[in-house]
Each structure stands twice: as C-alpha cells, then as structure tokens.
Amino acid sequence: MTALVGSDQVQIVLIAVAWSGGAGVVGLGIAYLLRRRSVPVLSATVALVAVGAVIAGIIGTARAMFLSSHDFRVTLMVAAIAGVVAVLVATLVGRVLSRWSRQLADETRRFGASGEFVASGSSAPVELRQLAAELERTSERLAQSRARERRLEEARRELVAWVSHDLRTPLAGLRAMTEALEDGIAPEPERYHRQIRAEVDRMTRMVDDLFELSRIHSGTLELSPQSLLLGDLVSEAIAGADPVARVRGVRLGGRVEEGIEVHADAQGLSRVLSNLVMNAIRHTPSDGTVEIVGRQVAGAVELSVTDACGGIPDADRERVFDVAWRGVDARTPAAPGEADDRTSGAGLGLAIVKGIVEAHSGQVSVENLDAPPAGCRFLVRLPAPA
Ligand SMILES: Nc1ncnc2c1ncn2[C@@H]1O[C@H](COP(=O)(O)OP(=O)(O)OP(=O)(O)O)[C@@H](O)[C@H]1O
Ligand SMILES: [Mg+2]
C-alpha cells in the first residue's frame, strides 16, 4: 500500500514538474518579451506565470486521472480566483515600486539641476535606498569639489590682482627714474642706476617665482630625487644666507645630527631651505638668532627653521602658505635702500616651499614659540629614505 502511494506520489511529482515546468518556460519567454515594459506589467506577469504553472500542474494531474472531474473543476476555480487576487496584488506592488523609482528619478533630475541631492523615499526597498544613499554621497563630493574650485579660482584672481599691483608700482618708479635720467634732471644718476638695477632684479625674482609656482600647480615640476646629506644642505643654506644675516646683525646657526640622509631633489630642497631662512632673517630683529636644525625621527627626516619674529598671529598662521599672501597690509614695495624691506616680497616664497615639500610627499607647518625670545618655527617633514 505504502509502495503504491509512494509510486503515485512520484508520478504526481513528475507530471507536475513537466506541466508546471512547461508553463514556467513559456512564462519566462513572455517575461523576456515584456522585459522593457513597466514594473507593474512585469510583476503582474510573474503572478500570472505562477498561477499558470499551478493550473498547468492541475490539468496534467487531472489528465492522468489523479483528480476526479469534480475535484478538477473545484481546484481550477480556486486557482483561477487565486490568480486574479495574485495579479491584483502584484500590480499594486508594482505600481508602488514604480512610484518610488519615479520619485528617485525626479530627485536625480533636481540633483542635476541644482547640484544637491535630497532623498525622501525612506520607505523604499533597500536597493533603491542604497542607490539614493550613493547619490547623496556623490552630491556631497561634488559640493566639496565645487567649493575647492571656487577657492582656487578666488586665489587665482587675487594672485593676478596682487601681482599686477606688485609689478605696476615698481614699473611706475622705473619709468619716473628713466625719464629723470633722460631729461638730465636726476640729482644723483648713480643712485638712480643702482635703484633701477635693484628693481629689475626684484621683478626678475618675482617672475621666476611665479614661473616656479605655475610649474608646481600644473604638476610639471621636474624633480630628480637623490640621496643627499642633510648636513651639506644646511651648510649650503647657511653659507648662502650668511651675508644677508651679517648685514642685518642676525646670528645664523645650524645643527644637524651626523650622517642623516634624505632622498630629495637637491635644487628643490635648497630652495625650500633658502626661502625659509631668508624669511626667518627678514623677520628677526638685529641681534636675534635664526637656527636651522635637522634630525631624524621615526619614519621621517625633520628640518626646522626657528627665528625670533615675535610670533605670527593665529589667523595669519593659517594663511602664510597661501599664494600671494603676506602679513603686511600695504602691498607697496619699499624703495631700495629704505630701512624696512619686509614689504618687498611678493608672498610667493612659502607657497613654493609648500609645493616643493608636498611634491616630495612631505608636510610643512609653522608654530609659535612661547619661550623667549618669542618667535616661530617652520617645520618640514620628509619621508625617511627606504
Ligand atoms: N619666519 C617668519 N616669521 C614671521 N612671519 C613670517 C615668516 N615667514 C613668513 N612670514 C609671513 O608670511 C608671509 C608670506 O611669506 P612668503 O615667504 O610666502 O612671502 P614673502 O616673504 O612676503 O615674499 P617672497 O617670499 O615671495 O619674497 C610673509 O609676508 C610674512 O608676513
Ligand atoms: Mg619669503
């Protein structure tokens, strides 16, 4: 008896698999043909195929005489009614899904127009919510990059305005001096010649700095890193800046631990040091001290230039590395020979330092020193050679 029931069951399963499977394959074909239609049509199709597979199975088993004609009619009717209900529910769910997806499309369209994505479908299915979250993250990244671009554009505009001012002023002076020389009314022609020469040198330096900066910013700065002894670099920087330090009565010294090597571009690193040292000398009162220290720390080589500038105000400290920023309001260059040449820079030196250091994957920072004599320390950290 059990064996008989068992074989009946096997037959029923086989018949149902064949008939329902056939209906499923036909349903798959229909779904494929309808794949470009809306979500409600697709979900109704899936419900129809499911009910169709049930009905096909019932027909198959009835044909094999497993169902009486009465039972067959009853189950068929029940399946047909269940089918109608299933299609209704599937259409409804499909419509809700398609409303969520339309909502997401509207939000994405607004995102395209305003650049800001605001998701509202918090009850949408997880895939749509993930998509909305991804769009939100993209919108944040876009906002950040737009802000960065705006800052860069502003800096570029300021640079052009300041540089043209910095060039126009000495050019006006040069013109006045050459006219005076031409008309023979210059009281001291030699002094005028010296001034003209000094102005031309200053402007040449500024144009060189601008060229260097543009190479740094366009990424075309060519570095030839090699192993360098830090001690040699510091000695060279001291030798180069010593005459200026003497004239200003500033003591200039250096201290480097024995044998420290750094993998860097020799010319670039010399420029970093000389810009820092010249700044330090310029901002240190006579009889003050400027000191360069080189040392090895965990995974890095540190170079610091300490001066007695009296400290840089907090708000200014954040800006010293900006292109064309300088700490004095007046951007009028001092005439050569005038006592205070603090205003004679173009504000490019530290931007170049930062550009070169970062091109070496290093960092540069500045801090104030409270211990007397109050001053500041510029610190360059470069990765230690592997
Ligand atoms: N060692 C320092 N001590 C105090 N202030 C400094 C020091 N170095 C730089 N600064 C401030 O930072 C500003 C920017 O320095 P930066 O070297 O970029 O330009 P600059 O020296 O004015 O001109 P440039 O270097 O182009 O000739 C300076 O104008 C100064 O106000
Ligand atoms: Mg400078």
Side-chain angles (χ1 to χ4, degrees):
M1 181 73 182
T2 316
L4 190 71
V5 171
S7 86
D8 279 357
Q9 276 180 350
V10 170
Q11 267 195 51
I12 291 170
V13 168
L14 288 177
I15 291 168
V17 166
W19 281 76
S20 301
V25 170
V26 173
L28 207 62
I30 296 172
Y32 179 76
L33 292 176
L34 295 176
R35 67 191 183 282
R36 289 178 182 280
R37 306 294 292 270
S38 66
V39 174
V41 169
L42 279 177
S43 57
T45 308
V46 171
L48 264 179
V49 171
V51 176
V54 170
I55 292 176
I58 292 171
I59 294 174
T61 41
R63 277 173 66 103
M65 302 299 207
F66 283 105
L67 287 174
S68 66
S69 65
H70 173 262
D71 289 352
F72 173 60
R73 273 199 306 277
V74 172
T75 44
L76 210 57
M77 259 164 63
V78 172
I81 291 168
V84 172
V85 172
V87 169
L88 280 177
V89 171
T91 313
L92 209 68
V93 170
R95 286 174 75 116
V96 175
L97 268 179
S98 106
R99 202 182 63 227
W100 277 325
S101 116
R102 263 203 313 277
Q103 195 178 339
L104 192 58
D106 285 346
E107 284 159 5
T108 312
R109 204 170 309 116
R110 278 198 294 277
F111 170 36
S114 71
E116 193 189 356
F117 184 82
V118 187
S120 51
S122 57
S123 54
V126 65
E127 287 84 357
L128 290 183
R129 272 184 287 135
Q130 277 171 350
L131 183 58
E134 199 48 56
L135 282 168
E136 227 161 10
R137 277 193 289 276
T138 308
S139 128
E140 274 161 26
R141 279 199 296 273
L142 259 179
Q144 280 166 4
S145 78
R146 256 200 305 271
R148 204 166 41 237
E149 232 167 66
R150 250 199 316 274
R151 276 200 305 276
L152 273 177
E153 186 52 42
E154 248 165 49
R156 223 170 280 142
R157 258 204 308 271
E158 275 183 352
L159 176 64
V160 172
W162 288 349
V163 164
S164 35
H165 174 267
D166 280 1
L167 285 175
R168 215 175 21 230
T169 315
L171 280 174
L174 284 176
R175 163 170 242 172
M177 285 190 276
T178 46
E179 276 173 3
L181 286 171
E182 235 172 37
D183 299 345
I185 53 167
E188 296 170 69
E190 288 80 37
R191 189 169 70 86
Y192 272 40
H193 284 136
R194 272 201 310 280
Q195 281 190 7
I196 289 173
R197 175 64 194 257
E199 281 298 284
V200 169
D201 283 350
R202 207 179 64 79
M203 287 199 291
T204 309
R205 236 182 4 254
M206 195 168 133
V207 172
D208 286 348
D209 280 355
L210 278 172
F211 186 58
E212 178 90 355
L213 257 186
S214 87
R215 282 199 305 180
I216 289 172
H217 288 165
S218 65
T220 53
L221 181 71
E222 275 176 26
L223 297 176
S224 328
Q226 59 192 94
S227 275
L228 304 167
L229 272 174
L230 210 56
D232 292 352
L233 278 166
V234 172
S235 306
E236 259 171 50
I238 291 178
D242 196 51
V244 185
R246 274 176 198 281
V247 169
R248 299 181 139 264
V250 171
R251 280 188 297 275
L252 181 59
R255 205 155 29 88
V256 179
E257 286 168 18
E258 198 65 17
I260 299 183
E261 286 196 356
V262 61
H263 194 67
D265 179 72
Q267 220 184 332
L269 206 52
S270 292
R271 178 134 206 198
V272 165
L273 259 183
S274 80
N275 282 5
L276 290 178
V277 173
M278 291 312 270
N279 276 354
I281 295 174
R282 191 191 279 175
H283 293 278
T284 296
S286 62
D287 216 29
T289 304
V290 167
E291 193 179 34
I292 312 172
V293 176
R295 60 191 194 120
Q296 183 116 35
V297 293
V301 171
E302 270 186 8
L303 257 176
S304 67
V305 178
T306 310
D307 62 26
C309 67
I312 303 176
D314 288 352
D316 289 358
R317 247 196 348 267
E318 291 170 11
R319 303 205 60 195
V320 287
F321 296 103
D322 287 359
V323 173
W325 186 87
R326 45 189 215 189
V328 272
D329 291 336
R331 295 195 63 84
T332 310
E338 242 179 52
D340 187 4
D341 66 348
R342 281 184 199 197
T343 52
S344 64
L348 304 176
L350 288 178
I352 292 176
V353 166
K354 187 171 173 2
I356 295 177
V357 170
E358 286 180 354
H360 283 88
S361 311
Q363 297 130 21
V364 58
S365 58
V366 57
E367 58 182 1
N368 279 340
L369 303 173
D370 296 329
C376 52
R377 175 185 291 145
F378 282 80
L379 185 69
V380 172
R381 273 175 81 97
L382 296 173

